[in-house]
Amino acid sequence: MSGSIAADSAGVVTPRIASFTEPIKLKCGAVMDEYELVYETYGTLNAERSNAVLVCHALNASHHVAGVYADAPQDVGWWDNMIGPGKPVDTNRFFVIGVNNLGGCHGSTGPKSINPKSGKPWGGAFPVVTVEDWVATQAQLADQLGIQRFAAVMGGSLGAMQALQWTISYPERLRHALVIACAPSLSAQNIAFNEIARQAIITDPDFHGGDYYAHNTMPKCGLRVARMVGHITYLSDDEMANKFGRQLKHGKLSYSFDTEFEIESYLRYQGNKFAEYFDANTYLRITKVLDYFDPAVEHGGDLSLALAMARANFLVVSFTTDWRFSPERSREIVKALLDNSCAVTYAEIDAPHGHDAFLLDDARYHRLVAAYFDRIAQETAAAGGAK
Amino acid sequence: MSNDGNGIQRADFAAIAQWVQAGARVLDLGCGDGTLLKYLKAQRGISGYGVEIDDDSLLACVKNGVNTIQTDLERGLSDFENNSFDYVILSQTIQAVKNSEVVMREMLRVGREGIVTFPNFGYWKNRLQIARGRMPVSDNLPYEWFNTPNVHLCTIADFERFCGERRIRIVERKVLTRGKAVTVLPNLLGALAIYHFGS
């Protein structure tokens, strides 16, 4: 069986569950009395516990960051090209953690979990969570794993927002933050796309106010449309033109509403696939997590003030064709870090793929991350030797 | 624009290090592989950033442990606040900058003082090659006319006139040839000019 696993794969991994019984007050005011987070780890935690890297996931991903499952060797982690033995985040040197966030649908406590108070799925009653809540629960997980300070916290897109929030919420608990394809807040246009996604789900007759589990149904049509809208924003115009152009699925127009253009086929395929495995309540909440993220807002809109406590070293990376979170948005973060004299390196990768570039195997991008982690490893080794 | 770390370059670094106060905040424009900042960090305990547009150079900076912002300095330094650095350095880069005047002005907005180094086009060897009817090619000007990134070459006399006309105060000047200080007829005998200036 292992013969089918690539040599540079993190290998067969088994998700684990961490249980938390101390109540946590969420930003919205709701209190979760208990919750669980599902997570995976790759590599080995060193004796000093100084080589841990937390990988935060974006919108639809999960704790399955790298490697494969014994019973599903085709189920490769979502950032497997980045994380593994000899890869940019080298699991021979680092102990990497992937975690499914609170409110998720991959095993952590979320809307489809049973609410212990009612004995029924939370459904529409599950609280609306925030990046701050996620980071707070990730810190609880770190405590449970005995990790006081991460070598690095990293993520792309919404994952990068969590990495950034870590430097604000727990400045002493990470040495490095990798903030990739990020924005310090959503633009009106970003929120607008999210609102279309939400409306598609909420107005689906199968939604039932979020309590569709009781009706043994799912708002799949709405979730499909939500995913299709999202996909448009992940690709650049050029990339879409290159990939699909005006190509027709069956070579000629059918003068109907069947799938005619390849791009329609692609969007429908992505939408259908997503609606099969993802939970609509989770999707709704994650779009809200994105909309609410704005660390500057509590500081009169001043991002520099918001980041005044940050102590981490930063690698900020943007991609030239990312119009969802454009390089200009990353530069707002860089500017705020410079204002605070934070250690920051900023790279603007010339890549054609749009927002999705952060997930792809781009040589310039990967060698940069690899070099950055080399530095972290050297620093970790030097600190270990000093003890 | 990358520093190749040859002997001439190191003499340039040593001269800069003598001017830079210990613990200063330094911005190095067109920092190449970050060698100068790494050197100043080791010699003078400075902190700061490089600015570099080239991907390979940025990668080298990461390997050298130098914090660098990837941007086109021709677009100005809007990421940097007024007077946020003690020194802004432009080492062997001004001759390759399209709008040298804007960059000089930005240097003095962002920094308290500026340091510029450039190959002196008035150096006798350059003059000799031109007298022979050819564009100069040398250690300090290693490119042919058709592949040179240098668009604004100048002489020591040109640079000082430029500063005088714009009321840029020259604090100190060093002129080097093969790493040795030149005091006599610098515009003729000097290969490399190093200026420390303020507003």
Side-chain angles (χ1 to χ4, degrees), chain A residues 313-315 331 334-335 337-339 341-350 364 367-368 371-372 375, chain B residues 25 49 55-56 58-59 61-72 75-76 78-81 85:
Chain A
N313 295 276
F314 288 80
L315 177 64
R331 294 181 71 107
V334 171
K335 168 83 172 64
L337 295 172
L338 290 171
D339 286 347
S341 301
C342 292
V344 51
T345 285
Y346 169 64
E348 203 169 296
I349 308 285
D350 188 7
R364 273 167 300 185
R367 71 183 187 178
L368 184 77
Y372 196 82
R375 261 178 69 191
Chain B
R25 277 175 58 75
Y49 308 91
D55 289 335
D56 291 331
L58 185 84
L59 180 68
C61 286
V62 169
K63 290 179 176 170
N64 275 323
V66 171
N67 294 311
T68 302
I69 308 302
Q70 186 168 33
T71 188
D72 181 0
R75 292 199 316 208
S78 56
D79 291 341
F80 302 98
E81 288 291 323
F85 292 90

